[in-house]
Amino acid sequence: AQSVTQLGSHVSVSEGALVLLRCNYSSSVPPYLFWYVQYPNQGLQLLLKYTTGATLVKGINGFEAEFKKSETSFHLTKPSAHMSDAAEYFCAVSDRGRGGGTSYGKLTFGQGTILTVHP
Amino acid sequence: KAGVTQTPRYLIKTRGQQVTLSCSPISGHRSVSWYQQTPGQGLQFLFEYFSETQRNKGNFPGRFSGRQFSNSRSEMNVSTLELGDSALYLCASSFLTLAVNNEQFFGPGTRLTVL
């Protein structure tokens, strides 16, 4: 079974500082990887995803993540934090689909990391 | 293009009652998935419907059920509510089944409180 571990349930940074949110996954084969953000009282918004190809993935709002197969990691970074980045961030994985009537692709989420940005 | 909509946004029920939540996917999307979000268990997959058929199911008791209509709108039902069912229920839609294209778009959720 797949699992996702996000190191640090709370991360606090100063405005303008580097943001680093850690995510490690456990899967028998490299899965699809996602980062979502959730603002209070809202649903999830996709920041970026890795499916195949370039291992450095750029997303919205200046975020990027790098897939490292050898470390089974998919850490999320942003060079300079903004107050509007304060939210909860979720790393998620899903199986690679096989088609043929067999359904894969459900998301398995990490426990989330609450990012606080101080002025 | 309108996003995923969920109704109602907030719901209060008592133990033993049943509840039905509704989700309208993005126009043209045929896959609808449901997730439960609680502080203790985090985000957990409930089930996926595609073309009116359940394609995948998470590890939840049979009290949790769902269906999808021909227009891709989906409902989930929870019978005999328990206090532990209090959660934010999120619906997500995808153009194709998750097995093929698993880029999902989430709705704002329905906050269910069981008293």
Side-chain angles (χ1 to χ4, degrees):
Chain A
Q2 293 177 325
S3 67
V4 180
T5 302
Q6 291 182 237
L7 293 175
S9 58
H10 291 81
V11 170
S12 180
V13 300
S14 299
E15 193 173 21
L18 171 72
V19 175
L20 171 61
L21 304 182
R22 300 177 186 273
C23 172
N24 288 87
Y25 67 90
S26 171
S27 177
S28 56
V29 295
Y32 294 127
L33 296 157
F34 305 83
W35 274 99
Y36 284 88
V37 62
Q38 186 177 34
Y39 297 99
N41 298 316
Q42 294 188 27
L44 302 175
Q45 180 182 12
L46 180 66
L47 279 175
L48 48 80
K49 65 175 182 178
Y50 170 78
T51 55
T52 187
T55 56
L56 181 61
V57 181
K58 293 187 184 300
I60 63 172
N61 301 339
F63 285 94
E64 62 182 37
E66 186 171 11
F67 169 57
K68 292 187 176 180
K69 182 179 176 181
S70 61
E71 298 177 7
T72 61
S73 69
F74 191 57
H75 301 331
L76 180 71
T77 61
K78 181 174 181 178
S80 177
H82 191 273
M83 296 295 289
S84 61
D85 295 326
E88 189 164 15
Y89 292 79
F90 293 93
C91 180
V93 302
S94 71
D95 288 324
R96 293 182 174 270
R98 299 183 192 177
T102 301
S103 177
Y104 288 84
K106 69 180 177 74
L107 290 171
T108 298
F109 287 90
Q111 284 297 101
T113 298
I114 296 173
L115 175 66
T116 302
V117 182
H118 296 288
Chain B
K1 200 179 220 183
V4 178
T5 59
Q6 293 187 244
T7 57
R9 291 291 312 277
Y10 301 91
L11 204 50
I12 299 175
K13 292 286 188 179
T14 57
R15 279 181 300 173
Q17 287 186 309
Q18 74 166 19
V19 67
T20 299
L21 312 181
S22 180
C23 172
S24 293
I26 291 172
S27 177
H29 285 194
R30 295 165 61 192
S31 167
V32 173
S33 297
W34 290 89
Y35 294 83
Q36 181 196 64
Q37 186 177 20
T38 60
Q41 298 299 317
L43 278 155
Q44 295 183 286
F45 173 80
L46 280 157
F47 28 65
E48 180 207 2
Y49 285 87
F50 179 78
S51 293
E52 303 178 63
T53 302
Q54 189 179 90
R55 300 296 299 272
N56 204 345
K57 190 177 190 305
N59 188 25
F60 278 82
R63 299 186 297 107
F64 292 81
S65 63
R67 60 177 175 168
Q68 187 180 35
F69 302 95
S70 58
N71 61 358
S72 295
R73 190 177 70 85
S74 176
E75 289 180 347
M76 68 162 282
N77 184 276
V78 187
S79 62
T80 318
L81 284 167
E82 301 176 359
L83 294 178
D85 296 334
S86 294
L88 181 66
Y89 289 89
L90 292 165
C91 166
S93 77
S94 176
F95 180 61
L96 295 173
T97 179
L98 297 181
V100 176
N101 176 0
N102 47 20
E103 180 164 354
Q104 299 175 60
F105 297 84
F106 283 80
T110 294
R111 172 77 61 185
L112 172 65
T113 301
V114 182
L115 302 177

